[in-house]
């Protein structure tokens, strides 16, 4: 790992005019890891732009240093980048529109903790055993020549806290706690970050969470639960404010797999998969063209709702046989 990190740092030092990007529907780890790399480039005096697929950066993360530096994609054909750092995304397809801006493979760096789907970068820092991309960015920056301060510590702590579910998910490691302990030396306030990330929903979002829970369905003798939000309900909410329903779907006694299904366009659905332990939901998501981790994954589906639910129940059922 050390040789690879030094190789990546050397490349980042040598190039300039960087694109920094992540996945569609960027989450807390995506924002934190992108902004942490931007912080490194600021200290080095590098040129860069942070461009994401989402047309409006999520205001939930506006407490993070550099939030105002994030721009949505625009089809400006004059934009050219010498190099790129792509974070928290396993394939070009999951970047959305910014993938059009990538320079050739030899000038791309990928930092990620998801299973590799497609190779698009010559420089890779990928570890599926790590809780978050922010964790990996810490390992990279801590070996650079810049000093960690409050702003950077706040970013990295936020990303790790987000992707470990407040240090409660099964992906949380001893190293996560060691990093968190180190970052606390820079006046990071865990309670304030937790409030921003997890307890900062609108009144409408909380009502929607209640709607989802009230209409949750049980399948496979109580081993599978599904929460569904139709399009008319989804349109009233920002995606990130109701994402906690993914975790609620598996927070029931006896449930082993939970699904959060939402209709984001007519007959177009996003599905989040959660597993309490023994079932590999990454394998289930892959059956629908998605992917992720063993205990948390996702996919997209275009078609009829009834056919989606039937297919999901059948596929999950195979893993209990």
């Amino acid at each position: 790992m050390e040789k690879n990190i030094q190789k990546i740092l050397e490349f980042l030092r040598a190039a300039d005019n960087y694109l920094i990007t992540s996945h569609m529907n960027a989450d807390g780890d995506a924002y934190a890891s992108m902004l942490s790399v931007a912080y490194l480039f600021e200290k080095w005096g590098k040129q860069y732009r942070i461009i994401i697929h989402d047309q409006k950066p999520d205001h939930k993360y506006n407490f993070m240093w550099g939030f105002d530096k994030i721009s949505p994609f625009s089809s400006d054909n004059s934009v050219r980048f010498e190099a790129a750092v792509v974070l928290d995304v396993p394939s070009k397809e999951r970047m959305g529109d910014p993938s059009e801006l990538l320079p050739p493979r030899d000038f791309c760096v990928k930092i990620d903790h998801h299973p590799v789907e497609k190779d698009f970068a010559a420089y890779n820092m990928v570890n599926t055993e790590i809780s978050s991309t922010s964790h990996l960015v810490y390992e990279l920056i801590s070996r650079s020549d810049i000093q960690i301060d409050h702003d950077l510590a706040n970013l990295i702590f936020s990303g790790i806290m987000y992707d470990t579910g407040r240090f409660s998910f099964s992906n949380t490691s001893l190293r996560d706690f060691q990093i968190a302990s180190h970052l606390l030396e820079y006046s990071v306030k865990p309670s304030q970050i937790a409030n921003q990330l997890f307890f900062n929903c609108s009144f409408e979002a909380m009502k929607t969470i209640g709607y989802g829970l009230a209409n949750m369905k049980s399948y496979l003798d109580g081993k599978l639960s599904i929460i569904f939000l139709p399009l008319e309900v989804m349109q009233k909410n920002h995606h990130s404010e109701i994402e906690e329903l993914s975790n609620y779907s598996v927070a029931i006694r006896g449930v082993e797999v939970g699904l959060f299904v939402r209709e984001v366009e007519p007959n177009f659905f996003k599905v989040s998969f959660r597993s309490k332990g023994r079932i590999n939901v990454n394998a289930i998501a892959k059956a629908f063209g998605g992917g992720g981790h063993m205990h948390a994954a996702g996919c997209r589906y275009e078609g009829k709702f009834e056919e989606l639910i039937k297919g999901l129940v059948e596929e999950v059922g195979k893993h209990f046989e």
Side-chain angles (χ1 to χ4, degrees), residues 22-27 30-31 34 51-58 70-73 94-98 238-239 300:
S22 187
H23 55 77
M24 297 181 284
N25 298 312
D27 59 13
Y31 276 97
M34 286 191 296
I51 300 177
I52 59 175
H53 175 87
D54 312 336
Q55 285 306 296
K56 186 180 290 186
D58 190 342
I70 300 171
S71 302
F73 174 84
R94 296 182 189 275
M95 290 177 224
D97 292 332
H238 195 288
H239 169 86
R300 295 164 183 262

Side-chain angles (χ1 to χ4, degrees), residues 145-300:
D145 57 355
I146 74 164
Q147 297 297 311
I148 293 177
D149 61 11
H150 172 75
D151 287 333
L152 180 57
N154 209 58
L155 287 171
I156 296 172
F157 191 97
S158 298
I160 295 174
M161 174 178 270
Y162 182 90
D163 252 23
T164 59
R166 304 190 291 279
F167 301 94
S168 68
F169 292 166
S170 60
N171 62 355
T172 310
S173 67
L174 171 61
R175 182 59 176 158
D176 287 310
F177 286 108
Q178 291 172 336
I179 293 171
S181 176
H182 179 215
L183 298 176
L184 288 175
E185 297 176 13
Y186 301 94
S187 302
V188 167
K189 304 295 183 187
S191 62
Q192 292 179 9
I193 293 174
N195 284 335
Q196 289 284 349
L197 294 178
F198 301 102
F199 306 108
N200 190 27
C201 295
S202 66
F203 183 74
E204 187 61 46
M206 291 303 292
K207 290 173 63 178
T208 299
I209 289 171
Y211 171 93
L213 294 175
N215 292 280
M216 182 165 43
K217 303 294 184 184
S218 179
Y219 301 86
L220 302 176
D221 298 323
K223 291 182 287 189
L224 167 67
S225 67
I226 299 179
I227 296 173
F228 170 62
L229 296 182
L231 182 61
E232 61 268 23
V233 175
M234 282 295 299
Q235 289 174 331
K236 300 175 184 177
N237 296 274
H238 195 288
H239 169 86
S240 69
E241 292 192 320
I242 56 176
E243 186 58 33
E244 193 66 16
L245 280 169
S246 302
N247 299 320
Y248 291 155
S249 71
V250 77
I252 303 162
R253 189 181 302 114
V255 168
E256 295 195 50
V257 174
L259 308 179
F260 174 32
V261 181
R262 53 271 200 210
E263 188 177 19
V264 293
E265 294 177 15
N267 295 316
F268 185 75
F269 304 88
K270 288 187 63 180
V271 185
S272 293
F273 300 76
R274 294 291 184 270
S275 169
K276 199 171 278 182
R278 71 184 182 95
I279 304 300
N280 181 358
V281 290
N282 179 42
I284 300 171
K286 282 185 175 180
F288 293 85
H293 301 284
M294 180 174 178
H295 297 145
C299 75
R300 295 164 183 262

Side-chain angles (χ1 to χ4, degrees), residues 66-101:
F67 178 81
D68 58 348
K69 300 177 187 296
I70 300 171
S71 302
F73 174 84
S74 65
S75 54
D76 181 356
N77 294 326
S78 67
V79 176
R80 293 289 185 273
F81 293 99
E82 179 184 337
V85 182
V86 182
L87 300 122
D88 202 40
V89 56
S91 68
K92 290 174 67 173
E93 289 77 10
R94 296 182 189 275
M95 290 177 224
D97 292 332
S99 64
E100 298 176 15
L101 305 175

